[in-house]
Amino acid sequence: MFRHAAVPAIFLSALTAAHAQEQCTPIHFALGDFALDASTATFRGTARSDPPFACYTLTTGPRQTATVGILQRSKGDIAFNIEGLVDSRGSYTFKTEAKTYKIEIYQTFARRPDQPFTMQVSVN
């Protein structure tokens, strides 16, 4: 009896995760603009202490070097997670695989007012 009740819950959980993924902003780099480094992008957003968190996706090729960093931290303590890779960081550099990474930016302390952030992402 309980086994049948779990199937809809698992399905609902998958739909919720898919919906959350749809709300992520894809990271694109400027191409053909000689005034900008084509492998660096800067984003401004709002960090929350509760979901939904600011979310970005980064699609990379294999054996590249990616760096993600929070440049501007306001009064709160702002950090990011890269799903399946690292949690609660202010900056992180890693060798990439051919995949899409999900980056969530949030405040590490609960029940804080929303705070602005500036994040820089580069891939070489």
Side-chain angles (χ1 to χ4, degrees), residues 69-98:
I70 303 296
L71 301 178
Q72 177 185 342
R73 293 181 184 215
S74 51
K75 297 176 186 176
D77 188 13
I78 299 172
F80 63 85
N81 295 340
I82 302 175
E83 188 174 87
L85 187 61
V86 68
D87 294 326
S88 196
R89 297 290 180 105
S91 65
Y92 189 67
T93 299
F94 60 101
K95 289 290 184 187
T96 65
E97 298 176 16

Side-chain angles (χ1 to χ4, degrees), residues 10-119:
I10 292 169
F11 181 70
L12 181 59
S13 176
L15 285 177
T16 303
H19 180 67
Q21 185 74 13
E22 292 173 6
Q23 295 178 1
C24 295
T25 302
I27 295 173
H28 298 286
F29 299 105
L31 298 175
D33 186 347
F34 296 109
L36 297 173
D37 183 324
S39 63
T40 301
T42 302
F43 299 90
R44 288 174 176 70
T46 302
R48 299 171 39 92
S49 60
D50 296 309
F53 300 120
C55 180
Y56 298 86
T57 56
L58 173 65
T59 302
T60 62
R63 298 176 301 280
Q64 294 177 296
T65 300
T67 300
V68 178
I70 303 296
L71 301 178
Q72 177 185 342
R73 293 181 184 215
S74 51
K75 297 176 186 176
D77 188 13
I78 299 172
F80 63 85
N81 295 340
I82 302 175
E83 188 174 87
L85 187 61
V86 68
D87 294 326
S88 196
R89 297 290 180 105
S91 65
Y92 189 67
T93 299
F94 60 101
K95 289 290 184 187
T96 65
E97 298 176 16
K99 67 184 269 183
T100 298
Y101 295 92
K102 179 179 174 184
I103 304 166
E104 288 186 317
I105 298 90
Y106 58 93
Q107 290 194 63
T108 59
F109 296 112
R111 294 175 178 67
R112 295 272 187 151
D114 295 353
Q115 296 291 326
F117 70 86
T118 302
M119 176 180 70

